[in-house]
Amino acid sequence: MSNIIVQKFGGTSLGTEERIASVAKIVKEASQSANVIVVVSAMSGETNRLIKLAKSFGDDPSKREFDALISTGEKVSAALLAMALHQIDVKAKSYTASQISMKTTNSYSKARILEVDGKKIQDALDEGIVPIITGFQGITESGDVTTLGRGGSDTTAVAIAAQMKAERCDIYTDVDGIYTTDPRVVPEAKKLDTITMEEMLEMAGQGAKVIQIRAVEFANKYKVPVRVLSSFEPGDGTLISLEEKDMENGLVSGIAFQKDQMKYTLHGVSDTPGIAYAILGPLSDANIEVDVIVQNVSVNGKTDFTFTVSKEDEISTTTVIKKLKDSLNFDDLLIDSNIAKVSLVGVGMRSHAGIASKAFKALSENEVNILMISTSEIKITIVIEDSSVETAVKALHNSFELDK
Ligand code: ADP
Ligand code: ASP
Ligand code: MG
């Protein structure tokens, strides 16, 4: 048996002792015909609980200790799953990121995987042991614990699949595949049998949390076939295919959305060359990812500069911008923390006009107030109020007949 399959189980899949026992059965069955490597996330709710706990001693805890704390949930589920496997006579061992030398950059909470030592994992497989690896975490060159950003266990799994030259990486979750949009928001959403890598990169990049964007980037770079499927019910799930899409398929493939966004406006900033860099440079130096950016037409040499970031970066963004107040001499800083982003994604949009107007018609008929717009060849992104997300997503899904 030389074929390797990586199986990743998310939080809800491991949410209770009963769930862990049923995951153990899935692993046991797969291990009868392949060398299985398992990657686990923390039990559902655990990472959120740890994040809340971290705020007990101030709003801005040490980044090193924050990661040391929030990475612990995965250790619990890895060890418990190993025990559940032992109970049904499967040899298994849990491994932390440190034990398999999962090296990352040292940007805490957003670390990127640099390399994995496959030897420990291979040794376990050679001994007939199922290795169960903690997702979401890594270590720096000096051995400190880092985490990979929310949803990061997906990325651990795909990185290990790439390193071990696995035949496939199966992402087990609480839905039975990838849908045209989040099925919990739009019950009419349609399950896709396959989705192209390019489309999945856009969907995940725009916030479809069913799989973390970095995981899709790894899969694309190392050509790892990835499947998303349910750990609750049998089924083939959705394959993220490495093949190009034939252009006969639909124009729009799906709708992604992201809540927990913040909008910053520097009002009355002087419109001189280099102004965008003067604002965005320090944000990037602070490792903050800026998303949608709009600079208005200037009036009397002054303009408004607006951008969005994730709410996770609220404290660091506000600190950076307040420090710029004197050098940039803007009139006001307006911060809106009740916004969200909705994106219409489709490779087929490239060659078709009229998609934007159809989208804006649907939004206007449903009285969705648009705060910002950004478009590219294969997506249209709007920033709207948080409270309008469901209406907007449903309106777009309906208008483009994605349920058909
Ligand atoms: P896990 O804990 O298994 O990693 P997540 O909660 O991170 O699970 O991701 C699964 C969730 O992603 C689903 O429950 C669903 O609500 C959401 N989701 C968002 N967009 C999509 C989509 N296009 N297709 C399927 N699920 C989606
Ligand atoms: N447990 C981590 C989180 O909640 C990682 C993951 O679920 O993939 O973000
Ligand atoms: Mg997830």
Side-chain angles (χ1 to χ4, degrees):
M1 218 163 44
S2 62
N3 58 325
I4 295 179
I5 302 278
V6 174
Q7 296 186 320
K8 179 258 167 177
F9 296 94
T12 18
S13 300
L14 299 162
T16 59
E17 293 90 311
E18 292 74 35
R19 290 297 316 149
I20 293 176
S22 71
V23 162
K25 283 192 202 141
I26 297 176
V27 174
K28 179 172 183 171
E29 202 195 318
S31 70
Q32 273 144 15
S33 56
N35 280 300
V36 177
I37 301 169
V38 177
V39 172
V40 291
S41 173
M43 294 169 79
S44 60
E46 180 62 5
T47 309
N48 287 342
R49 186 185 76 85
L50 294 167
I51 290 174
K52 230 168 126 193
L53 196 58
K55 307 276 160 84
S56 315
F57 303 101
D59 283 343
D60 197 14
S62 142
K63 295 189 171 16
R64 180 183 184 276
E65 304 315 326
F66 184 79
D67 277 13
L69 176 71
I70 69 164
S71 60
T72 57
E74 274 70 14
K75 288 194 196 171
V76 173
S77 45
L80 284 174
L81 180 57
M83 293 172 193
L85 282 163
H86 298 162
Q87 205 174 43
I88 53 172
D89 301 319
V90 178
K91 287 204 266 176
K93 266 190 189 176
S94 66
Y95 294 91
T96 63
S98 157
Q99 286 171 307
I100 57 152
S101 281
M102 168 71 77
K103 295 265 173 61
T104 68
T105 58
N106 51 14
S107 41
Y108 293 110
S109 298
K110 294 182 182 176
R112 288 181 180 238
I113 296 173
L114 298 173
E115 56 177 31
V116 191
D117 177 6
K119 188 169 176 310
K120 260 262 169 74
I121 304 173
Q122 189 59 54
D123 287 349
L125 293 178
D126 291 345
E127 286 176 47
I129 291 168
V130 176
I132 305 183
I133 298 164
T134 52
F136 181 53
Q137 57 179 265
I139 51 166
T140 63
E141 199 51 56
S142 56
D144 287 340
V145 179
T146 55
T147 61
L148 309 178
R150 299 309 304 268
S153 304
D154 299 330
T155 306
T156 310
V158 180
I160 287 174
Q163 172 69 34
M164 303 304 293
K165 304 202 165 34
E167 194 177 295
R168 204 178 57 239
C169 180
D170 284 344
I171 308 277
Y172 283 89
T173 184
D174 57 359
V175 282
D176 62 353
I178 298 163
Y179 282 72
T180 47
T181 192
D182 189 337
R184 300 195 193 286
V185 172
V186 182
E188 301 78 36
K190 197 174 81 180
K191 191 191 139 222
L192 306 166
D193 291 332
T194 61
I195 183 167
T196 66
M197 202 56 92
E198 194 181 7
E199 280 166 330
M200 197 62 235
L201 279 168
E202 284 298 332
M203 288 280 278
Q206 296 309 313
K209 77 162 191 167
V210 63
I211 178 165
Q212 202 200 33
I213 174 69
R214 301 253 180 277
V216 193
E217 286 169 357
F218 257 103
N220 190 34
K221 185 163 171 194
Y222 297 102
K223 304 296 167 223
V224 182
V226 172
R227 202 161 60 130
V228 173
L229 67 171
S230 167
S231 69
F232 292 75
E233 50 188 281
D236 291 335
T238 302
L239 182 72
I240 307 178
S241 84
L242 297 166
E243 269 143 50
E244 296 281 307
K245 179 171 183 152
D246 69 62
M247 294 313 278
E248 295 301 304
N249 281 335
L251 303 176
V252 174
S253 46
I255 300 163
F257 60 89
Q258 212 164 8
K259 295 184 179 174
D260 296 328
Q261 304 291 295
M262 313 255 314
K263 178 162 74 73
Y264 286 74
T265 300
L266 280 70
H267 174 64
V269 66
S270 55
D271 188 14
T272 47
I275 197 69
Y277 179 62
I279 299 166
L280 300 175
L283 289 168
S284 147
D285 292 343
N287 213 1
I288 297 163
E289 260 176 60
V290 173
D291 195 347
V292 184
I293 303 169
V294 170
Q295 182 179 335
N296 286 355
V297 174
S298 70
V299 179
N300 300 330
K302 288 209 163 193
T303 186
D304 288 348
F305 191 93
T306 306
F307 61 87
T308 66
V309 295
S310 155
K311 233 177 221 169
E312 282 175 11
D313 288 326
E314 172 172 7
I315 294 175
S316 35
T317 306
T318 308
T319 311
V320 169
I321 297 300
K322 286 197 168 151
K323 272 197 203 139
L324 294 175
K325 173 85 179 131
D326 289 337
S327 60
L328 290 181
N329 196 20
F330 49 86
D331 296 335
D332 277 313
L333 173 61
L334 312 172
I335 303 178
D336 187 348
S337 50
N338 296 314
I339 61 144
K341 200 178 82 170
V342 176
S343 304
L344 196 60
V345 171
V347 178
M349 279 158 68
R350 212 171 252 153
S351 49
H352 286 80
I355 297 204
S357 65
K358 185 168 174 179
F360 295 126
K361 179 165 184 263
L363 294 166
S364 107
E365 281 168 0
N366 286 275
E367 288 174 32
V368 175
N369 185 30
I370 301 171
L371 306 173
M372 293 166 88
I373 300 173
S374 142
T375 62
S376 83
E377 258 193 319
I378 61 169
K379 69 165 191 282
I380 297 170
T381 297
I382 54 160
V383 174
I384 57 178
E385 276 153 32
D386 227 339
S387 54
S388 313
V389 170
E390 287 199 29
T391 313
V393 175
K394 282 184 179 151
L396 292 171
H397 200 271
N398 205 6
S399 160
F400 286 91
E401 300 184 343
L402 296 183
D403 54 332
K404 301 278 157 62

